[in-house]
Amino acid sequence: MSDSVVMKKKEAGPVQLIVTLFAISAICAVLLGLVNNITMGPIEVATQAKTQAAMEAVLPADSYTEVAYTGGDPLVTKVYQAGDAGYVVQVAPSGFGGVLDIMVGVNTDGTCSGVSIISHSETSGLGANATKEDFRSQFVGKSNVAVTKDGGEIAALTGATITSRAVCSGVNAAITAVGTLG
């Protein structure tokens, strides 16, 4: 008869499990930090290019100079003077899916010259349609906007009234902000 030896595997203790989990977490954190450092510059350049393109789309000018805005409206994030043409205002109203980053051109007569949506997280096929030209063109030439459900002239996007109202509030905030600049 042969004697068989049964080897029992030693189980890891709680200290070994904690050390292993800490090591894995530390490695992941270092890798994420490296990726962040590598991608930070290109993301910033792309964001600036997109912002510049949005400014040129809503109110073409030779140069855009950032103006200090002290009006206190939390929707207004930045204001730029677009030469003698007027102002370009960056606003951030809350839509259905989150904050919309919108650039609004305001002529010297206080009317909207154009709207460009820089970024959003709205529902595809519904609120995301706010980026389409047929919706955005409704704002041109207006000085006070609201959707038709609220007694205004802006036809709301089908199934996306919250997004439509958010764009309207952003445009109104931009026009009001320019009015406070004098």
Side-chain angles (χ1 to χ4, degrees), residues 8-21:
K8 195 171 189 184
K9 185 176 178 183
K10 185 178 175 185
E11 292 185 22
V15 172
Q16 185 180 2
L17 291 174
I18 290 170
V19 169
T20 303
L21 185 58

Side-chain angles (χ1 to χ4, degrees), residues 15-98:
V15 172
Q16 185 180 2
L17 291 174
I18 290 170
V19 169
T20 303
L21 185 58
F22 177 77
I24 291 170
S25 298
I27 291 169
C28 289
V30 168
L31 289 174
L32 284 172
L34 288 172
V35 169
N36 185 47
N37 282 339
I38 292 169
T39 59
M40 189 182 321
I43 289 172
E44 182 65 29
V45 168
T47 301
Q48 288 175 353
K50 198 169 184 181
T51 301
Q52 185 69 27
M55 287 193 287
E56 292 171 2
V58 299
L59 189 61
D62 293 332
S63 65
Y64 300 93
T65 307
E66 190 168 351
V67 176
Y69 172 69
T70 57
D73 189 337
L75 296 182
V76 177
T77 56
K78 292 184 181 178
V79 178
Y80 302 91
Q81 185 165 9
D84 294 332
Y87 291 89
V88 177
V89 183
Q90 190 169 1
V91 292
S94 293
F96 180 76

